[in-house]
Amino acid sequence: MKITVLGGGHGCYAAAAEMAEKGHEVLLWRRDSDALQQLAATGQLKIKDYQGDRTVTVGFEKSQINLSDDLQRAIEHAELIIIPLPATTHDDLAHQAAPFFKAGQVVYLPPATFGSFIFAKAMQQAGNTAQVAFAETGTLPYLVRKHGVNQIVISGYATRLPTGVFPSVLSQQAFQVLKQAYPSVEPVEDSLSGALMNAGPIIHPPLILMNAGPLEHFEAWDIHNEGTQPSIRRVTNQLDAERIQVREALGYVAPHFPLADHYNHEGEGDEWMYGRGAHGKLTDSGDWREDIDLDSHRYMLEDTRLGLSFLVSVGRWAGVATPVAEGLLNIASAVTGKDLYQQ
């Protein structure tokens, strides 16, 4: 299958590598031409995961991952377009890409903050009437970090990807395509249901706000290791309960993928999106011991500013109170000195 991956982030490189290893015809697009030249000069993308170390070839032609900075060419190449980029990029990218989408294509946003609607709306505004399926899920399919120009370390792969499609009438065709790339995709009702599976706005805002002191004091701090303590877990659980209450008010049915299952050990409870034992793999890797700037990090700009605002907004529309989400959003606004919900 012809697949395009848009973006140059951690998940983008991981998606391109996995799809190439599965034998798909892969094109990786990013707007940073210099970064593409540097990657192409190495000739390979190094992968390290539970299977060991290996490489796939990269270059501007005749490679397992072909590179391009031409957005129109990248989109027109593909049957499936994977966009593992932060939601902060979606509005701008949607308007750039909207004229180029073609009938029958599937666009996958893993994850998104109702990005499926943003991309569909941009197509409408561009006058593009092609029937395109936009799908989104609750998490990035990889626990991954880039190391240098051409290496990625993948600590875990998603084993369950609850995914919804907009418009939902295209769901059957979309899932036929998606499952060729990601067999772990599990259909849910529609893309709003998929958006309300997004784990980022549940796990990250409590972790960064309740670890604000050590994040600002130490050069690096692991919010998932020493930063994950029982009091913070209790806040996270209550925040997640609000998400599930919103889903239920809208008529969405279980499984709701409660975040508490992410912390299950092997053999415990229900399997979450990354499978059992994933939290231990994440902390053991050491890759999440990092310097998090509370003004500029995506956990604040994406998961808090966009993700919590989305949850609060949908809650108000559905008539469901979300006091923990609103409280965290208000504290984050005080920390940044900006009205994040208004933004």
Side-chain angles (χ1 to χ4, degrees):
M1 181 167 58
K2 293 183 177 180
I3 297 177
T4 286
V5 179
L6 300 184
H10 307 289
C12 303
Y13 277 32
E18 185 185 23
M19 295 304 112
E21 288 198 305
K22 287 181 174 180
H24 297 294
E25 187 177 329
V26 179
L27 190 151
L28 174 67
W29 171 89
R30 62 182 300 183
R31 68 180 82 245
D32 188 340
S33 300
D34 290 340
L36 285 181
Q37 292 285 353
Q38 291 175 30
L39 178 59
T42 70
Q44 60 184 8
L45 179 61
K46 301 175 183 177
I47 307 156
K48 182 177 182 179
D49 63 7
Y50 71 96
Q51 300 178 73
D53 298 294
R54 58 201 183 279
T55 63
V56 293
T57 60
V58 296
F60 290 105
E61 59 181 1
K62 298 179 180 178
S63 300
Q64 288 174 281
I65 301 174
N66 290 307
L67 309 174
S68 178
D69 61 0
D70 183 333
L71 184 59
Q72 181 172 356
R73 176 194 166 212
I75 291 174
E76 291 179 349
H77 160 86
E79 300 164 68
L80 172 63
I81 300 161
I82 306 171
I83 310 179
L85 286 169
T88 50
T89 68
H90 286 174
D91 194 43
D92 181 55
L93 181 59
H95 285 92
Q96 292 181 53
F100 308 135
F101 291 123
K102 302 184 301 182
Q105 288 181 321
V106 178
V107 180
Y108 197 32
L109 302 161
T113 307
F114 210 26
S116 52
F117 178 76
I118 291 172
F119 274 84
K121 186 177 179 181
M123 273 191 69
Q124 183 185 56
Q125 292 172 342
N128 185 345
T129 59
Q131 290 288 297
V132 176
F134 295 95
E136 60 184 277
T137 188
T139 193
L140 192 66
Y142 319 94
L143 295 170
V144 59
R145 283 292 184 265
K146 290 164 62 179
H147 291 256
V149 172
N150 71 326
Q151 183 175 10
I152 55 173
V153 177
I154 303 175
S155 304
Y157 291 83
T159 58
R160 303 181 70 188
L161 289 168
T163 299
V165 176
F166 183 89
S168 56
V169 70
L170 298 178
S171 293
Q172 183 176 358
Q173 172 235 334
F175 287 121
Q176 288 175 350
V177 172
L178 285 167
K179 282 181 174 289
Q180 294 179 58
Y182 292 108
S184 53
V185 160
E186 297 183 18
V188 299
E189 297 90 342
D190 53 40
S191 67
L192 180 55
S193 179
L196 289 169
M197 292 291 193
N198 192 348
I202 308 303
I203 192 169
H204 292 138
L207 286 177
I208 63 170
L209 293 169
M210 298 179 75
N211 280 280
L215 283 174
E216 293 189 334
H217 179 75
F218 295 107
E219 289 186 4
W221 183 257
D222 190 338
I223 59 173
H224 296 286
N225 195 352
E226 61 266 31
T228 298
Q229 296 297 329
S231 59
I232 299 176
R233 286 282 310 278
R234 288 193 291 271
V235 172
T236 302
N237 288 343
Q238 188 57 46
L239 176 61
D240 203 31
E242 293 178 358
R243 175 188 68 88
I244 293 171
Q245 288 165 10
V246 170
R247 286 182 50 81
E248 290 175 339
L250 295 174
Y252 297 132
V253 299
H256 299 295
F257 288 82
L259 183 63
D261 288 340
H262 168 61
Y263 298 95
N264 289 340
H265 298 291
E266 293 290 350
E268 288 182 352
D270 292 330
E271 182 181 359
W272 197 66
M273 298 184 203
Y274 289 120
R276 297 178 183 86
H279 182 72
K281 296 174 186 176
L282 183 151
T283 54
D284 289 347
S285 73
D287 274 347
W288 276 259
R289 184 170 301 281
E290 53 191 339
D291 178 16
I292 295 177
D293 186 301
L294 292 175
D295 287 314
S296 60
H297 198 277
R298 75 166 190 86
Y299 294 166
M300 181 67 79
L301 298 181
E302 178 184 20
D303 292 328
T304 306
R305 181 176 62 120
L306 297 181
L308 285 187
S309 294
F310 177 69
L311 179 58
V312 169
S313 178
V314 177
R316 290 175 178 173
W317 176 60
V320 177
T322 54
V324 176
E326 290 193 37
L328 289 166
L329 197 52
N330 287 333
I331 293 170
S333 294
V335 168
T336 60
K338 301 170 183 174
D339 186 339
L340 299 185
Y341 186 86
Q342 188 62 38
Q343 288 188 351

mmCIF file of all heavy atoms in Angstrom, residues 216-232:
data_model
loop_
_atom_site.group_PDB
_atom_site.id
_atom_site.type_symbol
_atom_site.label_atom_id
_atom_site.label_comp_id
_atom_site.label_asym_id
_atom_site.label_seq_id
_atom_site.Cartn_x
_atom_site.Cartn_y
_atom_site.Cartn_z
ATOM 1 N N GLU A 216 10.732 22.930 37.477
ATOM 2 C CA GLU A 216 11.455 24.199 37.355
ATOM 3 C C GLU A 216 12.769 24.198 38.144
ATOM 4 O O GLU A 216 13.682 24.967 37.828
ATOM 5 C CB GLU A 216 10.558 25.345 37.821
ATOM 6 C CG GLU A 216 9.366 25.563 36.902
ATOM 7 C CD GLU A 216 8.583 26.822 37.206
ATOM 8 O OE1 GLU A 216 8.610 27.279 38.374
ATOM 9 O OE2 GLU A 216 7.947 27.361 36.282
ATOM 10 N N HIS A 217 12.872 23.334 39.154
ATOM 11 C CA HIS A 217 14.069 23.330 40.003
ATOM 12 C C HIS A 217 15.196 22.490 39.419
ATOM 13 O O HIS A 217 16.358 22.915 39.415
ATOM 14 C CB HIS A 217 13.711 22.792 41.397
ATOM 15 C CG HIS A 217 14.877 22.718 42.327
ATOM 16 N ND1 HIS A 217 15.428 23.842 42.917
ATOM 17 C CD2 HIS A 217 15.616 21.662 42.773
ATOM 18 C CE1 HIS A 217 16.452 23.483 43.682
ATOM 19 N NE2 HIS A 217 16.585 22.162 43.608
ATOM 20 N N PHE A 218 14.858 21.289 38.912
ATOM 21 C CA PHE A 218 15.887 20.375 38.427
ATOM 22 C C PHE A 218 16.098 20.540 36.927
ATOM 23 O O PHE A 218 15.200 20.961 36.196
ATOM 24 C CB PHE A 218 15.492 18.926 38.733
ATOM 25 C CG PHE A 218 15.420 18.613 40.211
ATOM 26 C CD1 PHE A 218 14.194 18.437 40.834
ATOM 27 C CD2 PHE A 218 16.575 18.516 40.978
ATOM 28 C CE1 PHE A 218 14.111 18.152 42.186
ATOM 29 C CE2 PHE A 218 16.510 18.227 42.334
ATOM 30 C CZ PHE A 218 15.279 18.052 42.944
ATOM 31 N N GLU A 219 17.296 20.174 36.480
ATOM 32 C CA GLU A 219 17.596 20.256 35.048
ATOM 33 C C GLU A 219 16.736 19.280 34.249
ATOM 34 O O GLU A 219 16.369 19.556 33.101
ATOM 35 C CB GLU A 219 19.075 19.972 34.802
ATOM 36 C CG GLU A 219 19.999 21.084 35.291
ATOM 37 C CD GLU A 219 21.442 20.837 34.905
ATOM 38 O OE1 GLU A 219 21.711 19.830 34.195
ATOM 39 O OE2 GLU A 219 22.297 21.646 35.300
ATOM 40 N N ALA A 220 16.429 18.140 34.831
ATOM 41 C CA ALA A 220 15.567 17.144 34.176
ATOM 42 C C ALA A 220 14.795 16.401 35.264
ATOM 43 O O ALA A 220 15.278 16.220 36.376
ATOM 44 C CB ALA A 220 16.394 16.176 33.334
ATOM 45 N N TRP A 221 13.591 15.972 34.912
ATOM 46 C CA TRP A 221 12.704 15.327 35.882
ATOM 47 C C TRP A 221 11.806 14.370 35.116
ATOM 48 O O TRP A 221 11.330 14.697 34.022
ATOM 49 C CB TRP A 221 11.873 16.390 36.597
ATOM 50 C CG TRP A 221 10.952 15.904 37.683
ATOM 51 C CD1 TRP A 221 9.589 15.753 37.596
ATOM 52 C CD2 TRP A 221 11.305 15.527 39.015
ATOM 53 N NE1 TRP A 221 9.084 15.312 38.793
ATOM 54 C CE2 TRP A 221 10.118 15.164 39.693
ATOM 55 C CE3 TRP A 221 12.513 15.457 39.708
ATOM 56 C CZ2 TRP A 221 10.095 14.741 41.002
ATOM 57 C CZ3 TRP A 221 12.499 15.038 41.027
ATOM 58 C CH2 TRP A 221 11.298 14.684 41.661
ATOM 59 N N ASP A 222 11.592 13.185 35.663
ATOM 60 C CA ASP A 222 10.738 12.202 34.989
ATOM 61 C C ASP A 222 9.357 12.230 35.639
ATOM 62 O O ASP A 222 9.154 11.670 36.711
ATOM 63 C CB ASP A 222 11.348 10.804 35.089
ATOM 64 C CG ASP A 222 10.629 9.787 34.205
ATOM 65 O OD1 ASP A 222 9.457 10.034 33.851
ATOM 66 O OD2 ASP A 222 11.240 8.749 33.877
ATOM 67 N N ILE A 223 8.414 12.884 34.971
ATOM 68 C CA ILE A 223 7.066 13.004 35.526
ATOM 69 C C ILE A 223 6.369 11.650 35.594
ATOM 70 O O ILE A 223 5.425 11.470 36.372
ATOM 71 C CB ILE A 223 6.201 14.000 34.724
ATOM 72 C CG1 ILE A 223 6.077 13.575 33.256
ATOM 73 C CG2 ILE A 223 6.746 15.416 34.852
ATOM 74 C CD1 ILE A 223 5.105 14.421 32.449
ATOM 75 N N HIS A 224 6.829 10.692 34.793
ATOM 76 C CA HIS A 224 6.185 9.367 34.781
ATOM 77 C C HIS A 224 6.777 8.429 35.824
ATOM 78 O O HIS A 224 6.184 7.395 36.124
ATOM 79 C CB HIS A 224 6.314 8.733 33.396
ATOM 80 C CG HIS A 224 5.593 9.486 32.336
ATOM 81 N ND1 HIS A 224 4.225 9.473 32.208
ATOM 82 C CD2 HIS A 224 6.055 10.302 31.345
ATOM 83 C CE1 HIS A 224 3.870 10.237 31.184
ATOM 84 N NE2 HIS A 224 4.951 10.747 30.654
ATOM 85 N N ASN A 225 7.950 8.773 36.359
ATOM 86 C CA ASN A 225 8.594 7.916 37.345
ATOM 87 C C ASN A 225 8.385 8.495 38.741
ATOM 88 O O ASN A 225 7.348 8.285 39.355
ATOM 89 C CB ASN A 225 10.081 7.754 37.004
ATOM 90 C CG ASN A 225 10.735 6.615 37.758
ATOM 91 O OD1 ASN A 225 10.139 6.027 38.655
ATOM 92 N ND2 ASN A 225 11.960 6.291 37.395
ATOM 93 N N GLU A 226 9.364 9.265 39.250
ATOM 94 C CA GLU A 226 9.182 9.853 40.577
ATOM 95 C C GLU A 226 8.076 10.907 40.595
ATOM 96 O O GLU A 226 7.539 11.234 41.657
ATOM 97 C CB GLU A 226 10.500 10.467 41.087
ATOM 98 C CG GLU A 226 11.057 11.587 40.216
ATOM 99 C CD GLU A 226 12.067 11.093 39.194
ATOM 100 O OE1 GLU A 226 11.942 9.936 38.735
ATOM 101 O OE2 GLU A 226 12.974 11.861 38.860
ATOM 102 N N GLY A 227 7.696 11.413 39.420
ATOM 103 C CA GLY A 227 6.632 12.401 39.350
ATOM 104 C C GLY A 227 5.232 11.828 39.414
ATOM 105 O O GLY A 227 4.247 12.572 39.493
ATOM 106 N N THR A 228 5.109 10.502 39.341
ATOM 107 C CA THR A 228 3.792 9.853 39.417
ATOM 108 C C THR A 228 3.609 9.264 40.806
ATOM 109 O O THR A 228 4.157 8.203 41.113
ATOM 110 C CB THR A 228 3.670 8.763 38.335
ATOM 111 O OG1 THR A 228 3.771 9.369 37.045
ATOM 112 C CG2 THR A 228 2.330 8.055 38.427
ATOM 113 N N GLN A 229 2.872 9.989 41.647
ATOM 114 C CA GLN A 229 2.661 9.610 43.039
ATOM 115 C C GLN A 229 1.158 9.432 43.297
ATOM 116 O O GLN A 229 0.320 9.876 42.503
ATOM 117 C CB GLN A 229 3.252 10.666 43.970
ATOM 118 C CG GLN A 229 4.771 10.811 43.852
ATOM 119 C CD GLN A 229 5.514 9.549 44.238
ATOM 120 O OE1 GLN A 229 5.058 8.788 45.092
ATOM 121 N NE2 GLN A 229 6.661 9.310 43.605
ATOM 122 N N PRO A 230 0.784 8.769 44.418
ATOM 123 C CA PRO A 230 -0.629 8.449 44.654
ATOM 124 C C PRO A 230 -1.568 9.649 44.612
ATOM 125 O O PRO A 230 -2.676 9.542 44.067
ATOM 126 C CB PRO A 230 -0.606 7.805 46.047
ATOM 127 C CG PRO A 230 0.749 7.175 46.139
ATOM 128 C CD PRO A 230 1.666 8.114 45.415
ATOM 129 N N SER A 231 -1.156 10.796 45.157
ATOM 130 C CA SER A 231 -2.049 11.961 45.144
ATOM 131 C C SER A 231 -2.313 12.441 43.721
ATOM 132 O O SER A 231 -3.429 12.854 43.384
ATOM 133 C CB SER A 231 -1.456 13.092 45.981
ATOM 134 O OG SER A 231 -0.184 13.476 45.477
ATOM 135 N N ILE A 232 -1.294 12.367 42.872
ATOM 136 C CA ILE A 232 -1.454 12.783 41.473
ATOM 137 C C ILE A 232 -2.316 11.770 40.728
ATOM 138 O O ILE A 232 -3.187 12.150 39.922
ATOM 139 C CB ILE A 232 -0.076 12.958 40.803
ATOM 140 C CG1 ILE A 232 0.723 14.052 41.526
ATOM 141 C CG2 ILE A 232 -0.246 13.310 39.317
ATOM 142 C CD1 ILE A 232 2.136 14.230 41.003
#
